[in-house]
Amino acid sequence: MIQTPYYLIDKSKLLRNMEKIALLRERSGAKALLALKCFATWGVFDFMRDYMDGTTSSSLNEVRLGHERFGKETHAYSVAYADYEIDEVVSHADKIIFNSIGQLQRFEKQSAGIIRGLRLNPGVSSSTFDLADPARPFSRLGEWDVKQVEPVMDLISGFMIHNNCENGDFDLFDTMLGQIEEKFSPLLKKAEWVSLGGGIHFTGDAYPLERFAERLKRFAGDYGVQVYLEPGEASITRSTTLEVTVLDKLYNGKDLVVVDSSIEAHMLDLLIYRENAKVSPNQGPHRYMVCGKSCLAGDIFGEFDFPSELNVGDRISIQDAAGYTMVKKNWFNGVKMPAIAIRELDGSLRTVREFSYTDYEQSLS
């Protein structure tokens, strides 16, 4: 058995998402780019490459990783590029998308050799959490004034619009896309391509994929554009677990177990958004609060029900541990970094990366 903690990517579960993405591409004509800000574990890029069109990034490091490890189309986006990095960004990208007119004009000469785009902010989003809302008041994410964008249309050929966030509601997506069309129609008619970003949970079990495909196809036809999507969690949802082991048991008004992992170090997004982890099936007469081993008092995965009593040495599988986990893992408290393992389609397991004290030491100075 592999020593815990480790992230376990199951290719058979990943395949379900990939097949839905491939079907959507076929039915809608849209292209799909993996959003590296969500998932950048390149050990499965060779597997995903057959089902997707490339990658989209949020930084120099991500665009280089996408270019070197994934290949195919490589889109570069950043909230702001620095002078010292723009030339290298351009060298790795097929498209560069600027967040503002100021950045577009500042780097006009350096980016003249590749396709350019601009981010638009429609002022509406599906987010219910202010921290993640791209359309929040005073948002810095994209341009919103059509009159200011029109004079720079000769410098760009398309747009990126990212305003969905964990949106599994097709009707809400449809409504917001209609609002985007109403606001930005004069610009869309002059574009050659439009990325509608990520945050659309179209690989979910109940999502109306055919209606979604038809809506994307109609949008593309109405404006004569190539549509792009940038699925992050939709690409990898439910494909990965964080495997942990019980180290200790306590009782302090509730039954507690401490595991050899940490929510702050290994599933930070849950802590940021104050969400519980997932354990399946989460049924049974024995209820435990599952706690991380860091010194942070709130390092808690959540409370879950188990079919039998937990004891030291028992293993627990934390579900849905791919999106915004491995890309955010850190060395808080020096807690052992989870290894990364892959379950192949034939059921065999292999470890693709382990982390040592040297990795911890060299992450500092």
Side-chain angles (χ1 to χ4, degrees):
M1 295 180 68
I2 302 172
Q3 177 63 56
T4 59
Y6 63 94
Y7 300 103
L8 177 59
I9 304 170
D10 190 326
K11 279 189 176 179
S12 66
K13 296 178 180 178
L14 183 59
L15 180 61
R16 293 201 294 260
N17 297 325
M18 293 296 101
E19 289 176 336
K20 288 187 178 182
I21 290 173
L23 179 62
L24 179 67
R25 291 166 65 211
E26 177 186 342
R27 299 288 173 85
S28 69
K31 293 186 176 184
L33 307 172
L34 174 63
L36 296 178
K37 67 180 180 180
C38 175
F39 182 80
T41 305
W42 50 266
V44 289
F45 281 2
D46 60 339
F47 180 70
M48 303 174 77
R49 188 181 296 120
D50 291 338
Y51 300 90
M52 304 188 74
D53 297 283
T55 57
T56 184
S57 58
S58 301
S59 66
L60 169 57
N61 284 338
E62 286 186 355
V63 71
R64 178 175 176 178
L65 183 73
H67 174 66
E68 294 183 354
R69 292 292 186 175
F70 199 102
K72 303 183 81 168
E73 287 195 49
T74 305
H75 290 206
Y77 165 78
S78 176
V79 173
Y81 296 107
D83 289 353
Y84 66 82
E85 64 183 0
I86 188 65
D87 289 336
E88 189 176 354
V89 169
V90 170
S91 74
H92 295 299
D94 302 300
K95 279 189 179 73
I96 185 167
I97 300 163
F98 291 100
N99 185 67
S100 69
I101 293 170
Q103 284 258 303
L104 170 65
Q105 293 174 329
R106 181 187 185 102
F107 298 120
E108 177 184 349
K109 291 182 179 179
Q110 292 96 322
S111 61
I114 62 174
I115 297 170
R116 291 183 297 213
L118 186 66
R119 179 168 181 169
L120 298 178
N121 190 328
V124 294
S125 83
S126 65
S127 177
T128 58
F129 201 92
D130 184 64
L131 181 65
D133 186 355
R136 61 190 287 176
F138 317 113
S139 174
R140 72 200 190 285
L141 301 175
E143 297 284 355
W144 57 272
D145 190 336
V146 173
K147 292 182 179 179
Q148 290 191 34
V149 175
E150 285 179 330
V152 299
M153 283 300 299
D154 60 327
L155 300 180
I156 61 175
S157 60
F159 300 102
M160 189 267 278
I161 305 167
H162 175 50
N163 68 320
N164 287 279
C165 183
E166 297 186 356
N167 185 9
D169 184 340
F170 170 74
D171 290 330
L172 177 58
F173 167 82
D174 183 32
T175 297
M176 291 195 303
L177 185 56
Q179 293 170 318
I180 288 170
E181 291 177 290
E182 182 177 354
K183 180 174 180 124
F184 293 126
S185 179
L187 301 178
L188 299 175
K189 290 177 180 177
K190 298 177 181 179
E192 297 175 10
W193 55 272
V194 175
S195 171
L196 296 176
I200 310 164
H201 279 230
F202 62 87
T203 54
D205 291 337
Y207 199 86
L209 201 64
E210 293 290 345
R211 293 176 64 198
F212 184 47
E214 187 279 329
R215 184 65 175 96
L216 295 177
K217 190 172 184 178
R218 177 156 50 91
F219 177 85
D222 287 347
Y223 298 98
V225 295
Q226 172 64 59
V227 172
Y228 286 89
L229 298 175
E230 301 177 3
E233 288 197 18
S235 301
I236 45 76
T237 185
R238 295 179 296 178
S239 69
T240 301
T241 56
L242 174 61
E243 301 294 317
V244 302
T245 296
V246 176
L247 301 179
D248 197 12
K249 296 176 64 175
L250 304 91
Y251 181 81
N252 190 2
K254 292 184 178 181
D255 288 310
L256 316 176
V257 293
V258 179
V259 299
D260 58 353
S261 180
S262 162
I263 188 172
E264 178 163 33
H266 306 153
M267 297 191 78
L268 181 61
D269 224 40
L270 297 180
L271 188 65
I272 292 172
Y273 292 99
R274 301 176 184 177
E275 296 178 346
N276 286 334
K278 301 173 185 175
V279 170
S280 181
N282 195 15
Q283 294 177 351
H286 300 275
R287 188 167 185 81
Y288 293 91
M289 178 182 289
V290 178
C291 309
K293 66 173 294 183
S294 82
C295 66
L296 179 71
D299 191 354
I300 299 168
F301 287 88
E303 294 187 37
F304 310 103
D305 297 321
F306 295 88
S308 57
E309 181 181 349
L310 290 179
N311 291 297
V312 172
D314 287 345
R315 292 199 171 193
I316 301 173
S317 293
I318 307 297
Q319 303 295 306
D320 227 359
Y324 297 101
T325 54
M326 284 176 264
V327 295
K328 290 190 175 186
K329 65 187 186 301
N330 60 72
W331 286 106
F332 178 67
N333 267 198
V335 175
K336 181 182 178 182
M337 188 74 72
I340 300 174
I342 296 173
R343 177 177 283 124
E344 301 290 350
L345 294 177
D346 64 5
S348 62
L349 257 63
R350 63 185 177 96
T351 302
V352 295
R353 180 67 196 272
E354 292 181 288
F355 300 90
S356 66
Y357 167 75
T358 300
D359 294 305
Y360 166 65
E361 179 192 34
Q362 293 183 356
S363 71
L364 304 166
S365 61

